[in-house]
Each structure stands twice: as C-alpha cells, then as structure tokens.
Amino acid sequence: MVLIEENLKEIRENIRKAAIRSGRKPEDITLVAVTKTISVDRIQEAIELDVNVLGENRVQELLEKYPKLHAQWHLIGHLQSNKVKYIIDKVDLIHSVDSLRLAQEIDRQAKKYKKVMPVLVEVNVAGEDTKHGVALGEAEGLVAALAELPHLQVKGLMTVAPFVENPEENRVWFRKMRQLYVDILQKIHNNIDMQYLSMGMSNDYVVAIEEGSNMVRIGTGIFGKR
Ligand SMILES: *Cc1c(COP(=O)(O)O)cnc(C)c1O
C-alpha cells in the first residue's frame, strides 16, 4: 500500500472507534483532508480513495487547485474581506468567520450568486495571541448577529486548538467548545443550523471526537509532513 492509503485506513479506523466511544455513528464524522502545500497529483490519489472534502487555508492556493480537482472545497484558514469574491462560488463551507465585517461581505457576495453561504464561526478557545477567531465570550453574540444576514447561514463552530505535545492537554478546550456549541444550539434558533463542530487536527482529532467534534481537519496525518 502507498503511504496515503495506509494513513487513510488508520485515520478512518481511529475516527470510527472514537465515534463509537462517544456514542455516535462513524458516518456522522466528516473528514476534511487538508491539502495546503500538497500537489494536485497527491490530492487526486486521496480522492481516488474516497476522500471527497478538501480544506485549503489560503485563497490563492484554493484557486489554483480548484479547477483541477473534483471535490467539495472548504476554506479553513483566515479570510480577508477583499478575497471573498474570488471563492464565494467555489466553496461549500467557510470555517473561519470571526467578524461581522467579514460576514457582511460574504452575505453581499453570496447575494450576487443568489446563494446562501454556509459558514462556521471560528473561536479562539484558548485565547492565544497568535490565533484568529472570536473570544469564547463573544461567539454567541456574533452568531446572533450573523443570523440576521439572509445570504449566509451559520452551520456551527470551528476552533484551532493550541499546539501541544500531548493531545490530552487540549481536551479541556474541546470540552469548552462543545459546551458553547450546545448553549448556542439551545438558545438561538432563527436562521442558524448548528450542524457542525469543526475541531481536531492530525495531532488531536481522536480527543476532539471523544469530546463531541463531528468534523476533523487532517493534513499531515494523511499526506505526511509538509
Ligand atoms: C493546516 C491546518 C489543519 C491541518 O493540520 P495538520 O496538523 O496537518 O493535520 C487544520 N486546520 C487548519 C485551520 C489548518 O490550517
């Protein structure tokens, strides 16, 4: 077996087990293959192994690969308002909405295509200076504000947990995210659909799923070191 095939097999097995441990079905967990810096040929290899959701974190790189690969695309990295127009008709989910201003631009561009853009609100759960995302205490307010925008729909929350050696250290953050997700789910109903909790990367996706993630974003674990 080639590397990607072996890696995918192991990851899918880990996802399956973690889903079952947390009382869910394996098929309820979406695997987003993170393809930043990865060549089109190697991504194609993953697609042939039934990977159908790709995540890119830079607009430029997404635009270069988009015409060459048939898959669903998610924008997972920081998005500048002035770049929204380039991707609005190409992506199925934007994971990284962290300001009303960005959301308003997404709403404005989506309107031109008569579409409703599904988005996640990115939360900087550990309050790290180096990370994008709204503060934990501001997430609910932002979701409520976004619910007023007709051409955008909040589909859930996303976080990039701290970089840690031991994934157990992130359990506390994943738990906080899950709590926030449930709180919002119970309080706000208008024009939001809390379907996804996007958390967990190569190093910590098992812990993230155990704590309630249903969307994991994995790059290194599939394609090897960048
Ligand atoms: C790069 C990246 C990932 C994947 O990271 P790996 O450690 O390679 O799995 C996930 N989410 C975001 C936002 C990223 O930029």
Side-chain angles (χ1 to χ4, degrees), residues 130-178:
T130 52
K131 295 250 164 84
H132 293 287
V134 287
L136 200 62
E138 286 162 21
E140 193 180 320
L142 183 59
V143 171
L146 268 46
E148 304 296 319
L149 302 174
H151 295 278
L152 166 153
Q153 187 176 40
V154 176
K155 284 283 186 184
L157 304 175
M158 177 274 223
T159 197
V160 180
F163 179 78
V164 290
E165 286 291 322
N166 178 359
E168 282 298 329
E169 290 174 48
N170 278 340
R171 191 177 290 277
V172 55
W173 303 121
F174 294 140
R175 209 167 273 178
K176 278 192 200 293
M177 285 296 293
R178 165 75 187 175

Side-chain angles (χ1 to χ4, degrees), residues 73-150:
W73 290 91
H74 289 187
L75 198 280
I76 62 172
H78 181 63
L79 177 59
Q80 288 171 301
S81 296
N82 62 358
K83 300 215 171 133
V84 171
K85 58 180 175 286
Y86 303 121
I87 57 140
I88 194 73
D89 58 329
K90 300 181 179 64
V91 298
D92 294 285
L93 185 65
I94 298 172
H95 288 231
S96 45
V97 173
D98 61 359
S99 72
L100 183 57
R101 186 170 163 267
L102 171 60
Q104 284 166 334
E105 177 61 9
I106 293 170
D107 183 64
R108 205 169 71 84
Q109 296 295 337
K111 187 178 181 193
K112 293 186 185 167
Y113 289 90
K114 297 187 168 61
K115 74 181 260 181
V116 176
M117 187 68 224
V119 305
L120 305 180
V121 166
E122 180 173 355
V123 181
N124 183 357
V125 67
E128 294 173 280
D129 290 341
T130 52
K131 295 250 164 84
H132 293 287
V134 287
L136 200 62
E138 286 162 21
E140 193 180 320
L142 183 59
V143 171
L146 268 46
E148 304 296 319
L149 302 174

